[in-house]
Amino acid sequence: MIRKLPVLFLCLLPGLLAAQNSEYKADTVKVKRDTIQKRDLIDIGRELFHISKPRPDTNRRKRLYFSFLPVSSSIVGPGKALITSTTAGFYMGDQATTNLSSISFTPYFNFKGRYGLPIHSNVWLNNNSWNIQGDTRFLVYPQYTWGLGGNQPESDSFLLNYKYIRFYQSALKRITNYFFAGIGYDLDSYIDLDLTPADVSAFRKFTNYKYGTAEDENVFSSGPTINLLYDTRNNSLNPVPGFYANVIYRYSSVPLGSDNNWQSLYIDVRKYVSITHTGPKNILAFWTYYWTSLTPGTPYLNLPSIGMDPYQRSGRGIEQSRYRGQRLIYYETEFRRDITRNGLFGFVLFANVNSVTQPITNRFVYWHPAGGGGLRIKFNKKTDTNIAIDYGFSKNYSALSLNLGEAF
């Protein structure tokens, strides 16, 4: 564990330095609002269909806002997918002292037997007294995998089919203004691992990894988590200047049903810096995370892998699960700018790099960069929710993605 501390320190250093410089900037520096009236797609829809705006009620403030996006997009595995994304933003208390809560539901289906029903929730109780987080998924999930390490050739892959059930829940109590601590419970169930090409022993030989790599095996992990959170943002759908740090320690235990005892640690640090404090949005965003398996016994599909972070937003421009190892380091920087002063259109430019440890040496050797850009269209100005259309690319791969809300 001592040998891991220098790597951990280097991973967190950019975010920690940023926190030292302007930790409370989001609260001490007030960004001046543009006097131009903001517009979104809801405004345009009302004008096109001649729908009158509801009369404002000065005695009450609306607490629930919806955003909806039907799209067709490429997904992991064969074929195109029909995807619908619904995001509800709402307040569980006084809007002046309570962060915006959100629940996202993104079902998809690709007409070739692949479908998913994922639900993410991030709920803030009145005055931010508690933060309750949830991640529930029911998936049929074909996914390409390249084994362990960062030097596998593009052509050397398996198509792995399985059914997947995830149930992650945590509750964090506010300790100070922005610091929260709590516990949670994580459950992963991988059912009927089916390999292409089909060979009972080929996948285990290919990965040279013995945990969770047997044909037709069911893999189950269950156990508690310890969660620490520091968050000065007030809107996770589209963060403004602020700082975010999250630590999740997981212990999967045989007495709670796990196939093996194993432990992992996930540390996520983000910083948002406003370049200007007047006029259109003009922000630099930084994101780094360090994810490590602390003990032997971690199932193959639970090992750190690019694009498999809690919200599956990392590695834009790199194929999901392209790199997997005992440890993973990730860095990303994004420039966010409004195109129109009313906030209806904007753009982003991003670059990221990741590395996983090699199987034998357990060292970071190969680094994999990616980059790209995207268009932003304001769907709901009340929750500042954008339609995000991103194009990312890296060596031998590129992809177009559509989402509601920012990548991080």
Side-chain angles (χ1 to χ4, degrees):
M1 184 65 185
I2 297 298
R3 279 183 275 178
K4 299 176 183 178
L5 292 179
V7 175
L8 181 60
F9 175 76
L10 289 174
C11 178
L12 296 179
L13 185 59
L16 294 175
L17 290 175
Q20 291 286 330
N21 292 332
S22 54
E23 184 176 0
Y24 295 97
K25 187 174 182 179
D27 301 283
T28 58
V29 178
K30 300 298 182 182
V31 178
K32 295 180 181 179
R33 299 299 178 187
D34 204 315
T35 57
I36 296 177
Q37 185 177 4
K38 300 301 180 182
R39 284 174 61 80
D40 57 21
L41 291 184
I42 296 175
D43 293 329
I44 295 175
R46 286 197 179 110
E47 293 172 2
L48 289 175
F49 296 99
H50 306 288
I51 301 173
S52 59
K53 291 184 179 181
R55 292 182 179 179
D57 187 344
T58 57
N59 296 322
R60 55 179 297 197
R61 304 173 79 178
K62 186 176 179 181
R63 290 174 175 251
L64 181 63
Y65 307 90
F66 281 99
S67 301
F68 177 76
L69 177 66
V71 298
S72 175
S73 180
S74 298
I75 60 169
V76 179
K80 295 281 186 177
L82 293 179
I83 306 172
T84 59
S85 181
T86 302
T87 298
F90 55 95
Y91 291 94
M92 297 289 289
D94 185 351
Q95 296 184 23
T97 59
T98 306
N99 289 352
L100 181 73
S101 299
S102 64
I103 296 179
S104 299
F105 178 48
T106 312
Y108 57 82
F109 179 64
N110 77 336
F111 302 107
K112 292 187 177 181
R114 183 174 196 264
Y115 57 87
L117 300 171
I119 302 173
H120 292 93
S121 58
N122 186 25
V123 176
W124 297 88
L125 299 189
N126 189 34
N127 297 322
N128 291 342
S129 56
W130 286 85
N131 178 227
I132 301 172
Q133 303 173 5
D135 183 357
T136 303
R137 307 180 196 179
F138 302 92
L139 310 177
V140 174
Y141 209 74
Q143 182 185 77
Y144 288 105
T145 185
W146 286 262
L148 300 179
N151 195 34
Q152 301 288 356
E154 181 68 27
S155 59
D156 197 0
S157 65
F158 275 95
L159 180 59
L160 181 63
N161 290 276
Y162 57 90
K163 303 176 183 68
Y164 178 42
I165 298 173
R166 169 183 285 193
F167 183 77
Y168 292 2
Q169 298 291 323
S170 60
L172 291 83
K173 171 68 175 175
R174 188 180 68 188
I175 307 301
T176 63
N177 280 344
Y178 306 114
F179 178 66
F180 299 77
I183 59 174
Y185 171 73
D186 284 3
L187 179 153
D188 291 292
S189 179
Y190 302 95
I191 304 168
D192 295 335
L193 272 66
D194 183 23
L195 311 176
T196 303
D199 186 324
V200 172
S201 60
F203 186 50
R204 181 163 290 183
K205 291 178 181 178
F206 173 69
T207 61
N208 196 28
Y209 192 78
K210 66 180 180 179
Y211 300 105
T213 54
E215 171 77 0
D216 293 328
E217 182 180 40
N218 296 334
V219 182
F220 189 83
S221 297
S222 169
T225 62
I226 297 175
N227 305 68
L228 302 176
L229 174 67
Y230 187 89
D231 194 356
T232 68
R233 309 170 306 168
N234 59 12
N235 183 352
S236 61
L237 296 175
N238 193 351
V240 294
F243 179 75
Y244 170 94
N246 188 27
V247 178
I248 304 173
Y249 165 77
R250 177 177 180 177
Y251 178 69
S252 290
S253 169
V254 170
L256 291 178
S258 297
D259 297 327
N260 305 293
N261 291 322
W262 59 274
Q263 303 170 49
S264 68
L265 182 68
Y266 178 80
I267 303 176
D268 187 322
V269 178
R270 309 177 190 185
K271 179 67 180 178
Y272 307 86
V273 179
S274 184
I275 299 174
T276 58
H277 301 297
T278 60
K281 181 175 70 175
N282 197 4
I283 288 177
L284 277 175
F286 304 92
W287 179 20
T288 180
Y289 70 78
Y290 176 70
W291 185 8
T292 177
S293 173
L294 298 173
T295 59
T298 304
Y300 179 81
L301 291 172
N302 283 115
L303 289 173
S305 179
I306 189 66
M308 298 302 290
D309 53 288
Y311 280 84
Q312 297 186 337
R313 293 294 185 92
S314 66
R316 283 178 293 176
I318 296 175
E319 191 162 0
Q320 189 183 60
S321 295
R322 179 64 179 87
Y323 305 107
R324 187 186 303 267
Q326 292 286 338
R327 306 174 195 166
L328 186 153
I329 288 181
Y330 181 78
Y331 300 95
E332 180 164 356
T333 300
E334 182 172 88
F335 172 61
R336 302 173 181 175
R337 172 78 180 184
D338 282 343
I339 297 173
T340 58
R341 294 185 67 86
N342 61 12
L344 180 60
F345 293 104
F347 73 93
V348 303
L349 298 173
F350 60 86
N352 61 69
V353 63
N354 76 88
S355 181
V356 296
T357 51
Q358 293 302 107
I360 297 176
T361 63
N362 229 4
R363 300 172 69 179
F364 295 102
V365 178
Y366 302 99
W367 294 85
H368 308 285
L375 177 67
R376 296 296 181 265
I377 306 172
K378 190 71 66 187
F379 188 98
N380 191 322
K381 63 187 179 184
K382 300 297 184 181
T383 60
D384 210 17
T385 302
N386 290 327
I387 296 174
I389 307 171
D390 289 333
Y391 176 77
F393 60 90
S394 60
K395 184 179 180 180
N396 300 322
Y397 184 78
S398 63
L400 185 70
S401 64
L402 294 92
N403 290 291
L404 278 174
E406 297 301 326
F408 66 96

